[in-house]
Amino acid sequence: MNDTAPQDNQPDGNYTGDHANDEEGSSDATEGHDDEDEIYEGEYQGIPSDANARDEPVALGQPLADGLKDRRELENERQADEEELAQQYELIIQECGHGRFQWQLFFTLGLALMSDGVEVFVVGFVLPSAEMDMCVPDSRSGWLGSIVYLGMMVGAFFWGGMADKVGRRQCLLICMSMNGFFAFLSSFVQGYGFFLLCRMIAGFGIGGAVPIVFSYFAEVLAREKRGEHLSWLCMFWMIGEIYASAMAWAVIPHYGWSFSMGSAYQFHSWRVFVVVCALPCVCAVVALTFMPESPKFYLEVGKHDEAWMILKQIHDTNMRARGQPEKVFTVNRIKIPKQIDEFVEMQTESGNLFSKVIFRIKTELHGVRFMICNLSSVISSMYYGLSVWFPDVIKHLQANEYASKVQRHNNERIEDFTFNFTLENQIHTNSLFINDRFISMKFKSVTFINSTFQSCFFEDVTSVGSYFRNCTFIEAVFYNTDIDDSKLINTDVINSTFYHNKTGCQMTFEDDYSAYWVYFVNFLGTLAVLPGNIISALLMDKIGRLSMLGFSMILSGISCFFLWFGTSESMMLGMLCLYNGLSISAWNSLDVVTVELYPTDRRGTGFGFCNALCKLAAVMGNLIFGSLVGITKAIPILLASSVLVGGGLVGLRLPDTRSNVLM
């Protein structure tokens, strides 16, 4: 019996592939028969080939060859073929069942999605510490957050498009490996410029996670399972937030978790946090090496043998887990959509490179569903804007309370005194210090104005948020301190000596209530998402994607309005938890709808385009809402409420996709 693959000139294309399972598909009755005469049960028989059709003369009453048809006829035929393939693929996935394979892929892709959630929040947690540690001036402050979002925005569009050309698994492996490597490297670099570069490349890598993960997982789910299990997958993004918040809370404030190599290399606790946050990405890369490519993608690019083998692997894996290893995979034919040269209509044009590039861009953008992209941008800008505004408002309330407790000392004279304790939240004006010693102590939020230090000795002194304005130092000695020109503002230093000054900007989180509180606020806000995530997963396939999207946006918009009445930290925290819990259903619905709206050859590109707009909207939301902290509550509250309610009303008018098969 001949078991070789069929040649293109076989008349009917039926064959027994090498990948067939002999125990499940072989039969004694097949001996003595030709390959063309027998179709084995449970084995893939290939696709009938019509490669010679174009070379044969056209007989009267026979279908026209492809070369004699116009583009519209070819497109109609391809559309019919794709619809038939979509229905067939849905039946195949139903036969494969939902079981061990889907759960293995679920946890693998969940780790990748968790890494994206970590990357978004690690920026905000690391930003204050990294900029302080690297002595970043206020003029460059904030670049880290913006440049990481820029990398994620470009990465989402690039990797989403590449996933439609190269494959879901391959692209996800590359982009996750890139993120893990450069995220790990960024924890060791000392210069702020190199740190920015590493985080930008890491952001570029992780930008591809969301569009690829949802496209990949949706293509192995049956229609009745798709909405629910894609919503469960969304929980990993929340788990990434919880992980980042918990690790920041546990690691960063511990200033003692650091070491130095001389005065040039410092490794503080925030760098330990960066390393810890790269671990989910590393785990995702390892797990992905054991998973196959999406069979739907293989079918789209014409690799039908590979697709059949993966579908059989899914079927057999699930059947063995159910205790039914004897059950045969009965699929033996898979429809081939008609392939159309996308540059056919350019034959009358010049055909130069510029024209091809323009045509490619038009082709890619033609399939983008801009209404869904607009809704994604609305939710993203409001969510990330409010996520920045909530903690900053709380920090602003704390700062006002802290400033109200400042201790003021005027016209004091202190002579021959030893300071060996922490001075905190004080302002000294027109003070005179003579022969005083400052030994192994800290200045924390202390300002000296128009003060004089004569014959004073400073040793092992650390200053955080402390400055000397219009002061005078006469015959002073500084040994192993961090007091430098950045803290001596319009200050005269006369006959004074500096020995072994500490390099870099010194950080301390000891007894820093504000740092602990910010991480705790983010942790609680993320934990509040859990009930909304569970509800959306259970109801996604019952009430419909667009209904859940619309009502979630409307309710979260209404919850924003009640922020107007928040006057304390506890009230603002409660509103943050309520908003996060209500808005998560809209996010989950958008992810499911976006996957179902795009065909396989545009799914990664369309999802990536929407995700790139989300990142751009997130940057705009951060800038707008961040600039309003401490100024007014009216604008952010009214803006968020009106935009979310309006977007929800638009979402309710869109067609639902829960009954659609994946094209």
Side-chain angles (χ1 to χ4, degrees):
M1 184 183 300
N2 183 14
D3 286 341
T4 58
Q7 304 298 319
D8 290 342
N9 57 359
Q10 274 188 280
D12 62 7
N14 293 336
Y15 72 98
T16 303
D18 291 335
H19 49 68
N21 188 312
D22 295 333
E23 294 181 3
E24 293 180 357
S26 61
S27 170
D28 293 340
T30 62
E31 296 184 6
H33 290 265
D34 293 335
D35 290 344
E36 297 178 0
D37 296 331
E38 188 69 34
I39 297 178
Y40 301 148
E41 179 185 8
E43 295 186 348
Y44 178 51
Q45 303 301 322
I47 306 299
S49 174
D50 52 2
N52 296 329
R54 298 182 181 180
D55 299 330
E56 298 175 357
V58 180
L60 186 63
Q62 297 295 321
L64 292 176
D66 289 350
L68 301 179
K69 297 179 181 179
D70 61 24
R71 183 174 179 82
R72 179 173 298 179
E73 290 178 305
L74 292 174
E75 287 179 342
N76 290 338
E77 290 183 10
R78 177 178 173 80
Q79 180 66 25
D81 289 346
E82 286 181 341
E83 291 176 357
E84 184 178 345
L85 173 61
Q87 295 291 342
Q88 183 186 14
Y89 187 80
E90 177 65 28
L91 294 175
I92 294 173
I93 290 296
Q94 290 179 4
E95 179 179 343
C96 291
H98 188 94
R100 176 179 293 175
F101 179 87
Q102 281 83 359
W103 286 113
Q104 290 173 346
L105 187 61
F106 173 80
F107 287 108
T108 299
L109 298 180
L111 286 171
L113 196 60
M114 177 180 173
S115 302
D116 182 84
V118 169
E119 185 72 22
V120 169
F121 278 80
V122 74
V123 174
F125 293 147
V126 162
L127 188 60
S129 305
E131 292 180 340
M132 185 184 299
D133 188 23
M134 298 178 180
C135 306
V136 178
D138 291 340
S139 60
R140 296 171 60 192
S141 179
W143 268 101
L144 177 59
S146 300
I147 204 166
V148 169
Y149 274 116
L150 176 63
M152 296 176 74
M153 180 181 69
V154 177
F157 186 72
F158 176 82
W159 292 114
M162 288 296 294
D164 288 334
K165 303 296 185 294
V166 179
R168 281 61 164 127
R169 174 183 174 274
Q170 187 71 15
C171 284
L172 190 58
L173 266 173
I174 295 173
C175 70
M176 296 301 295
S177 300
M178 180 182 297
N179 172 257
F181 176 78
F182 282 97
F184 184 78
L185 182 63
S186 70
S187 67
F188 295 96
V189 299
Q190 292 292 295
Y192 191 62
F194 284 111
F195 184 75
L196 282 177
L197 179 63
C198 288
R199 296 312 303 187
M200 182 181 69
I201 299 176
F204 173 77
I206 200 64
V210 172
I212 299 177
V213 160
F214 283 100
S215 300
Y216 194 173
F217 194 48
E219 290 168 357
V220 296
L221 294 174
R223 176 171 50 192
E224 65 272 9
K225 298 281 187 180
R226 198 162 55 232
E228 177 184 349
H229 287 274
L230 285 176
S231 298
W232 289 127
L233 185 64
C234 292
M235 290 186 66
F236 279 94
W237 203 88
M238 176 204 68
I239 294 172
E241 294 183 48
I242 294 176
Y243 178 79
S245 302
M247 291 300 102
W249 191 15
V251 175
I252 294 180
H254 294 281
Y255 183 70
W257 293 14
S258 62
F259 66 87
S260 61
M261 298 173 62
S263 60
Y265 190 87
Q266 306 287 330
F267 195 92
H268 291 124
S269 57
W270 68 267
R271 296 180 182 273
V272 178
F273 169 69
V274 171
V275 172
V276 171
C277 285
L279 295 180
C281 183
V282 175
C283 295
V285 171
V286 174
L288 271 170
T289 59
F290 298 97
M291 303 308 299
E293 180 57 80
S294 164
K296 193 80 164 68
F297 168 77
Y298 271 153
L299 289 176
E300 187 64 31
V301 297
K303 296 183 178 181
H304 299 84
D305 292 350
E306 291 87 343
W308 186 87
M309 293 175 66
I310 294 173
L311 289 168
K312 187 175 187 301
Q313 176 187 346
I314 297 173
H315 174 274
D316 293 347
T317 300
N318 291 339
M319 293 306 111
R320 284 194 298 268
R322 292 181 182 180
Q324 299 175 324
E326 73 285 352
K327 192 168 185 178
V328 177
F329 185 52
T330 60
V331 175
N332 53 41
R333 287 182 182 272
I334 303 178
K335 182 70 177 178
I336 297 182
K338 185 176 292 295
Q339 301 295 321
I340 304 175
D341 183 3
E342 62 182 6
F343 293 110
V344 166
E345 63 184 38
M346 294 178 58
Q347 293 177 353
T348 59
E349 302 178 5
S350 60
N352 56 37
L353 180 61
F354 178 76
S355 299
K356 291 182 179 181
V357 170
I358 296 299
F359 181 78
R360 166 64 69 183
I361 294 175
K362 289 181 179 179
T363 302
E364 297 294 340
L365 293 181
H366 176 71
V368 173
R369 274 61 171 178
F370 284 101
M371 183 58 70
I372 292 298
C373 291
N374 290 337
L375 289 176
S376 300
S377 301
V378 166
I379 296 178
S380 182
S381 60
M382 296 302 106
Y383 178 82
Y384 287 105
L386 289 171
S387 296
V388 168
W389 187 69
F390 273 127
D392 281 353
V393 166
I394 293 176
K395 288 168 62 178
H396 182 72
L397 293 173
Q398 291 177 345
N400 288 340
E401 183 180 0
Y402 188 75
S404 68
K405 298 177 181 179
V406 66
Q407 301 176 20
R408 298 181 180 272
H409 303 274
N410 299 312
N411 301 314
E412 60 185 343
R413 177 188 175 95
I414 302 177
E415 188 172 355
D416 295 321
F417 185 81
T418 299
F419 293 88
N420 55 5
F421 49 87
T422 299
L423 295 181
E424 180 179 0
N425 198 19
Q426 299 179 6
I427 298 178
H428 297 262
T429 306
N430 297 323
S431 299
L432 177 61
F433 299 88
I434 302 175
N435 293 325
D436 293 320
R437 291 166 299 281
F438 299 84
I439 309 296
S440 300
M441 55 88 62
K442 298 176 182 177
F443 293 117
K444 184 177 179 182
S445 300
V446 178
T447 303
F448 295 92
I449 303 174
N450 297 324
S451 297
T452 301
F453 297 83
Q454 183 174 343
S455 301
C456 292
F457 183 74
F458 298 82
E459 180 180 358
D460 293 330
V461 174
T462 301
S463 58
V464 177
S466 300
Y467 301 94
F468 301 85
R469 300 179 184 274
N470 303 319
C471 295
T472 302
F473 289 88
I474 303 173
E475 297 180 350
V477 176
F478 298 85
Y479 181 83
N480 193 31
T481 72
D482 65 350
I483 299 174
D484 54 18
D485 292 339
S486 66
K487 298 176 181 180
L488 303 176
I489 302 173
N490 297 327
T491 294
D492 295 326
V493 180
I494 303 172
N495 296 329
S496 297
T497 308
F498 292 82
Y499 296 101
H500 303 290
N501 250 31
K502 295 180 180 180
T503 59
C505 297
Q506 305 304 312
M507 299 186 304
T508 177
F509 286 95
E510 295 178 10
D511 303 320
D512 190 346
Y513 173 75
S514 176
Y516 281 100
W517 180 251
V518 170
Y519 304 140
F520 181 66
V521 165
N522 281 277
F523 178 79
L524 287 183
T526 304
L527 202 60
V529 171
L530 181 60
N533 223 321
I534 294 175
I535 292 173
S536 67
L538 295 177
L539 298 181
M540 187 69 70
D541 290 320
K542 294 181 173 60
I543 68 173
R545 288 81 160 114
L546 275 306
S547 297
M548 181 162 291
L549 169 65
F551 287 117
S552 175
M553 292 184 69
I554 292 172
L555 291 176
S556 59
I558 294 174
S559 71
C560 283
F561 179 76
F562 287 97
L563 288 172
W564 201 300
F565 307 101
T567 56
S568 65
E569 295 177 14
S570 57
M571 289 183 66
M572 297 297 291
L573 179 58
M575 293 299 177
L576 169 65
C577 294
L578 179 62
Y579 170 77
N580 284 350
L582 291 173
S583 63
I584 190 61
S585 297
W587 279 108
N588 294 355
S589 302
L590 273 175
D591 291 333
V592 176
V593 170
T594 305
V595 164
E596 294 175 334
L597 276 179
Y598 291 101
T600 303
D601 62 337
R602 291 285 186 272
R603 187 167 293 119
T605 303
F607 208 130
F609 184 83
C610 290
N611 202 252
L613 285 184
C614 284
K615 295 299 184 289
L616 178 61
V619 173
M620 298 301 297
N622 287 345
L623 293 175
I624 294 172
F625 284 81
S627 63
L628 297 173
V629 174
I631 299 176
T632 177
K633 292 169 59 176
I635 295 178
I637 291 174
L638 293 178
L639 178 63
S641 298
S642 58
V643 170
L644 286 171
V645 171
L649 293 175
V650 172
L652 289 174
R653 298 179 62 86
L654 296 176
D656 206 337
T657 59
R658 72 177 140 169
S659 61
N660 293 0
V661 296
L662 286 184
M663 295 298 294

mmCIF file of all heavy atoms in Angstrom, residues 255 263 266 441 459-463 479-484 499-506:
data_model
loop_
_atom_site.group_PDB
_atom_site.id
_atom_site.type_symbol
_atom_site.label_atom_id
_atom_site.label_comp_id
_atom_site.label_asym_id
_atom_site.label_seq_id
_atom_site.Cartn_x
_atom_site.Cartn_y
_atom_site.Cartn_z
ATOM 1 N N TYR A 255 13.911 49.064 51.901
ATOM 2 C CA TYR A 255 15.150 49.663 51.421
ATOM 3 C C TYR A 255 16.352 48.800 51.785
ATOM 4 O O TYR A 255 17.375 48.840 51.117
ATOM 5 C CB TYR A 255 15.317 51.064 52.018
ATOM 6 C CG TYR A 255 16.546 51.793 51.533
ATOM 7 C CD1 TYR A 255 16.627 52.252 50.226
ATOM 8 C CD2 TYR A 255 17.618 52.019 52.393
ATOM 9 C CE1 TYR A 255 17.752 52.926 49.785
ATOM 10 C CE2 TYR A 255 18.741 52.690 51.958
ATOM 11 C CZ TYR A 255 18.812 53.143 50.656
ATOM 12 O OH TYR A 255 19.925 53.803 50.217
ATOM 13 N N SER A 263 30.888 52.633 45.004
ATOM 14 C CA SER A 263 29.960 53.755 44.938
ATOM 15 C C SER A 263 29.331 53.904 43.567
ATOM 16 O O SER A 263 28.437 54.718 43.373
ATOM 17 C CB SER A 263 30.688 55.059 45.297
ATOM 18 O OG SER A 263 31.750 55.288 44.374
ATOM 19 N N GLN A 266 24.680 50.473 42.236
ATOM 20 C CA GLN A 266 23.679 50.349 43.290
ATOM 21 C C GLN A 266 22.548 49.435 42.810
ATOM 22 O O GLN A 266 22.082 49.562 41.684
ATOM 23 C CB GLN A 266 23.100 51.722 43.655
ATOM 24 C CG GLN A 266 24.136 52.753 44.024
ATOM 25 C CD GLN A 266 24.750 52.498 45.387
ATOM 26 O OE1 GLN A 266 24.092 51.949 46.261
ATOM 27 N NE2 GLN A 266 25.994 52.909 45.577
ATOM 28 N N MET A 441 22.303 60.471 60.869
ATOM 29 C CA MET A 441 20.916 60.920 60.990
ATOM 30 C C MET A 441 20.339 61.212 59.609
ATOM 31 O O MET A 441 21.031 61.144 58.598
ATOM 32 C CB MET A 441 20.825 62.150 61.887
ATOM 33 C CG MET A 441 21.686 63.315 61.480
ATOM 34 S SD MET A 441 20.867 64.437 60.316
ATOM 35 C CE MET A 441 19.483 64.989 61.286
ATOM 36 N N GLU A 459 28.222 63.841 59.225
ATOM 37 C CA GLU A 459 28.779 62.520 58.945
ATOM 38 C C GLU A 459 27.644 61.504 58.811
ATOM 39 O O GLU A 459 26.732 61.449 59.646
ATOM 40 C CB GLU A 459 29.728 62.075 60.054
ATOM 41 C CG GLU A 459 30.341 60.699 59.795
ATOM 42 C CD GLU A 459 31.290 60.270 60.897
ATOM 43 O OE1 GLU A 459 31.500 61.065 61.837
ATOM 44 O OE2 GLU A 459 31.805 59.138 60.823
ATOM 45 N N ASP A 460 27.710 60.693 57.730
ATOM 46 C CA ASP A 460 26.686 59.660 57.464
ATOM 47 C C ASP A 460 25.279 60.256 57.522
ATOM 48 O O ASP A 460 24.387 59.756 58.214
ATOM 49 C CB ASP A 460 26.795 58.520 58.488
ATOM 50 C CG ASP A 460 28.076 57.733 58.335
ATOM 51 O OD1 ASP A 460 28.579 57.645 57.206
ATOM 52 O OD2 ASP A 460 28.588 57.225 59.351
ATOM 53 N N VAL A 461 25.082 61.307 56.746
ATOM 54 C CA VAL A 461 23.799 62.003 56.709
ATOM 55 C C VAL A 461 23.079 61.664 55.403
ATOM 56 O O VAL A 461 23.673 61.710 54.321
ATOM 57 C CB VAL A 461 23.982 63.527 56.845
ATOM 58 C CG1 VAL A 461 22.648 64.241 56.653
ATOM 59 C CG2 VAL A 461 24.564 63.858 58.202
ATOM 60 N N THR A 462 21.799 61.336 55.515
ATOM 61 C CA THR A 462 20.951 61.079 54.346
ATOM 62 C C THR A 462 19.814 62.090 54.348
ATOM 63 O O THR A 462 19.199 62.327 55.395
ATOM 64 C CB THR A 462 20.368 59.655 54.388
ATOM 65 O OG1 THR A 462 21.434 58.710 54.414
ATOM 66 C CG2 THR A 462 19.498 59.393 53.172
ATOM 67 N N SER A 463 19.541 62.650 53.189
ATOM 68 C CA SER A 463 18.473 63.651 53.094
ATOM 69 C C SER A 463 17.504 63.254 51.990
ATOM 70 O O SER A 463 17.911 62.957 50.867
ATOM 71 C CB SER A 463 19.051 65.040 52.813
ATOM 72 O OG SER A 463 19.809 65.027 51.620
ATOM 73 N N TYR A 479 31.216 64.486 55.578
ATOM 74 C CA TYR A 479 31.855 63.181 55.385
ATOM 75 C C TYR A 479 30.765 62.124 55.146
ATOM 76 O O TYR A 479 29.900 61.901 55.992
ATOM 77 C CB TYR A 479 32.695 62.796 56.604
ATOM 78 C CG TYR A 479 33.402 61.469 56.461
ATOM 79 C CD1 TYR A 479 34.618 61.384 55.794
ATOM 80 C CD2 TYR A 479 32.839 60.298 56.976
ATOM 81 C CE1 TYR A 479 35.269 60.168 55.654
ATOM 82 C CE2 TYR A 479 33.469 59.079 56.834
ATOM 83 C CZ TYR A 479 34.687 59.017 56.166
ATOM 84 O OH TYR A 479 35.321 57.808 56.011
ATOM 85 N N ASN A 480 30.828 61.475 53.952
ATOM 86 C CA ASN A 480 29.889 60.401 53.601
ATOM 87 C C ASN A 480 28.436 60.870 53.727
ATOM 88 O O ASN A 480 27.610 60.256 54.392
ATOM 89 C CB ASN A 480 30.112 59.168 54.481
ATOM 90 C CG ASN A 480 29.379 57.937 53.943
ATOM 91 O OD1 ASN A 480 29.196 57.797 52.737
ATOM 92 N ND2 ASN A 480 28.962 57.049 54.837
ATOM 93 N N THR A 481 28.121 61.956 53.049
ATOM 94 C CA THR A 481 26.754 62.477 53.019
ATOM 95 C C THR A 481 26.271 62.543 51.571
ATOM 96 O O THR A 481 27.050 62.399 50.631
ATOM 97 C CB THR A 481 26.676 63.883 53.638
ATOM 98 O OG1 THR A 481 27.277 64.826 52.743
ATOM 99 C CG2 THR A 481 27.393 63.933 54.978
ATOM 100 N N ASP A 482 24.984 62.754 51.405
ATOM 101 C CA ASP A 482 24.426 62.927 50.059
ATOM 102 C C ASP A 482 24.057 64.382 49.791
ATOM 103 O O ASP A 482 23.304 64.674 48.870
ATOM 104 C CB ASP A 482 23.200 62.026 49.872
ATOM 105 C CG ASP A 482 22.049 62.410 50.786
ATOM 106 O OD1 ASP A 482 22.248 63.236 51.697
ATOM 107 O OD2 ASP A 482 20.940 61.876 50.599
ATOM 108 N N ILE A 483 24.582 65.297 50.607
ATOM 109 C CA ILE A 483 24.305 66.726 50.418
ATOM 110 C C ILE A 483 25.199 67.239 49.295
ATOM 111 O O ILE A 483 26.426 67.274 49.413
ATOM 112 C CB ILE A 483 24.564 67.509 51.726
ATOM 113 C CG1 ILE A 483 23.642 66.986 52.837
ATOM 114 C CG2 ILE A 483 24.349 69.001 51.510
ATOM 115 C CD1 ILE A 483 23.908 67.593 54.197
ATOM 116 N N ASP A 484 24.584 67.618 48.176
ATOM 117 C CA ASP A 484 25.346 68.075 47.011
ATOM 118 C C ASP A 484 24.695 69.325 46.449
ATOM 119 O O ASP A 484 23.812 69.938 47.062
ATOM 120 C CB ASP A 484 25.429 66.975 45.952
ATOM 121 C CG ASP A 484 24.050 66.444 45.552
ATOM 122 O OD1 ASP A 484 23.051 67.143 45.827
ATOM 123 O OD2 ASP A 484 23.966 65.346 44.982
ATOM 124 N N TYR A 499 34.134 65.122 51.953
ATOM 125 C CA TYR A 499 34.880 63.880 51.860
ATOM 126 C C TYR A 499 33.916 62.724 51.552
ATOM 127 O O TYR A 499 32.898 62.553 52.226
ATOM 128 C CB TYR A 499 35.600 63.555 53.177
ATOM 129 C CG TYR A 499 36.670 64.537 53.579
ATOM 130 C CD1 TYR A 499 36.411 65.504 54.539
ATOM 131 C CD2 TYR A 499 37.948 64.491 53.017
ATOM 132 C CE1 TYR A 499 37.394 66.403 54.934
ATOM 133 C CE2 TYR A 499 38.937 65.388 53.404
ATOM 134 C CZ TYR A 499 38.649 66.341 54.361
ATOM 135 O OH TYR A 499 39.621 67.236 54.732
ATOM 136 N N HIS A 500 34.287 61.912 50.538
ATOM 137 C CA HIS A 500 33.559 60.672 50.232
ATOM 138 C C HIS A 500 32.042 60.899 50.140
ATOM 139 O O HIS A 500 31.242 60.209 50.793
ATOM 140 C CB HIS A 500 33.841 59.598 51.285
ATOM 141 C CG HIS A 500 35.287 59.261 51.444
ATOM 142 N ND1 HIS A 500 36.011 58.580 50.492
ATOM 143 C CD2 HIS A 500 36.164 59.541 52.455
ATOM 144 C CE1 HIS A 500 37.254 58.448 50.896
ATOM 145 N NE2 HIS A 500 37.385 59.024 52.090
ATOM 146 N N ASN A 501 31.655 61.846 49.326
ATOM 147 C CA ASN A 501 30.219 62.087 49.164
ATOM 148 C C ASN A 501 29.526 60.864 48.558
ATOM 149 O O ASN A 501 30.082 60.188 47.686
ATOM 150 C CB ASN A 501 29.992 63.303 48.266
ATOM 151 C CG ASN A 501 29.442 64.479 49.045
ATOM 152 O OD1 ASN A 501 29.742 64.627 50.218
ATOM 153 N ND2 ASN A 501 28.630 65.287 48.398
ATOM 154 N N LYS A 502 28.332 60.582 49.013
ATOM 155 C CA LYS A 502 27.548 59.483 48.461
ATOM 156 C C LYS A 502 27.136 59.818 47.030
ATOM 157 O O LYS A 502 26.669 60.925 46.757
ATOM 158 C CB LYS A 502 26.295 59.234 49.304
ATOM 159 C CG LYS A 502 26.607 58.757 50.724
ATOM 160 C CD LYS A 502 25.319 58.536 51.513
ATOM 161 C CE LYS A 502 25.634 58.065 52.918
ATOM 162 N NZ LYS A 502 24.405 57.843 53.724
ATOM 163 N N THR A 503 27.320 58.861 46.119
ATOM 164 C CA THR A 503 26.922 59.077 44.737
ATOM 165 C C THR A 503 25.499 58.603 44.529
ATOM 166 O O THR A 503 25.002 57.724 45.245
ATOM 167 C CB THR A 503 27.859 58.325 43.778
ATOM 168 O OG1 THR A 503 27.813 56.938 44.089
ATOM 169 C CG2 THR A 503 29.287 58.838 43.910
ATOM 170 N N GLY A 504 24.857 59.147 43.525
ATOM 171 C CA GLY A 504 23.473 58.779 43.242
ATOM 172 C C GLY A 504 22.522 59.471 44.194
ATOM 173 O O GLY A 504 22.912 60.156 45.129
ATOM 174 N N CYS A 505 21.253 59.272 43.912
ATOM 175 C CA CYS A 505 20.218 59.870 44.764
ATOM 176 C C CYS A 505 19.785 58.838 45.778
ATOM 177 O O CYS A 505 19.456 57.703 45.432
ATOM 178 C CB CYS A 505 19.033 60.320 43.917
ATOM 179 S SG CYS A 505 19.468 61.618 42.745
ATOM 180 N N GLN A 506 19.801 59.204 47.016
ATOM 181 C CA GLN A 506 19.525 58.259 48.091
ATOM 182 C C GLN A 506 18.017 58.094 48.292
ATOM 183 O O GLN A 506 17.263 59.054 48.230
ATOM 184 C CB GLN A 506 20.171 58.750 49.391
ATOM 185 C CG GLN A 506 21.658 59.016 49.247
ATOM 186 C CD GLN A 506 22.412 57.808 48.735
ATOM 187 O OE1 GLN A 506 22.229 56.708 49.247
ATOM 188 N NE2 GLN A 506 23.250 58.006 47.736
#
